[in-house]
Amino acid sequence: ARDLPGSLRVRQLIARTGLEYLDKLSRSAGSDWDLKRELATAYMRIGEVQGGQGNSNLGDAAGALESFRHAEHLLDSVLSHSPGDRKAAEDRMTLTHRVSNVHRRMGQIQAAIDAGSDGLHRANTLLQRFPDDPDLLQYAIVFHIDVGRLRQQTGDLNGAARDVGESITLLQKVLAARPE
């Protein structure tokens, strides 16, 4: 629908109807952990439509953050039930990155740093279990670079240098594991 001229109202209606459906379904999910994981993915998609990356979002950053919070809650409940659920842990890191990006675009730099730092903590926790996993290393690299850029914007040049330096160290590990 986004490519159709004048489709903004239709897209808003689709997002609103989708949210109502997800809200009803999430209230009845109980302890269906697979359903909760799927609902979290759906909330993430709705959040992207509302105010995520790209020019085709609806410009509703606050709505996006609310949808992302629903997804966080669902993924956190899945992870509390199954701490070793790697897919849920990776989705949670992706979600944290998206939250950080929305805060950054809203000019809420400290909130963006906090979200990025949370994502970095999550990546580092998984790296303790899987220290040479290139995918997890790439998550950590992205978080270090993002938080470093945000720190630079606040004038914390030492913190920015630390984060960027750590990303370079991790990038060298990824290059060793994946020379291509």
Side-chain angles (χ1 to χ4, degrees), residues 88-146:
E90 288 181 2
D91 285 349
R92 188 64 174 83
M93 284 188 294
T94 298
L95 183 57
T96 303
H97 188 255
R98 291 178 182 181
V99 167
S100 178
N101 284 337
V102 171
H103 281 301
R104 179 187 46 77
R105 284 195 314 278
M106 293 173 72
Q108 300 170 346
I109 302 303
Q110 188 57 53
I113 290 171
D114 293 345
S117 297
D118 178 50
L120 181 57
H121 172 74
R122 290 173 185 282
N124 286 334
T125 299
L126 281 173
L127 280 169
Q128 289 173 358
R129 290 178 36 213
F130 309 102
D132 296 320
D133 184 305
D135 294 326
L136 294 176
L137 289 167
Q138 288 180 352
Y139 273 106
I141 290 165
V142 167
F143 284 121
H144 272 298
I145 290 171
D146 286 352

Side-chain angles (χ1 to χ4, degrees), residues 45-61:
R45 288 184 182 145
I46 293 279
E48 282 298 307
V49 169
Q50 290 172 299
Q53 291 285 97
N55 297 328
S56 63
N57 72 57
L58 297 173
D60 182 8

Side-chain angles (χ1 to χ4, degrees), residues 20-57:
E20 290 170 5
Y21 175 74
L22 290 176
D23 290 344
K24 287 177 188 174
L25 199 52
S26 67
R27 283 191 295 272
S28 64
S31 59
D32 186 339
W33 307 110
D34 291 333
L35 176 58
K36 286 185 177 194
R37 191 180 308 103
E38 291 299 319
L39 287 168
T41 300
Y43 273 114
M44 287 171 59
R45 288 184 182 145
I46 293 279
E48 282 298 307
V49 169
Q50 290 172 299
Q53 291 285 97
N55 297 328
S56 63
N57 72 57

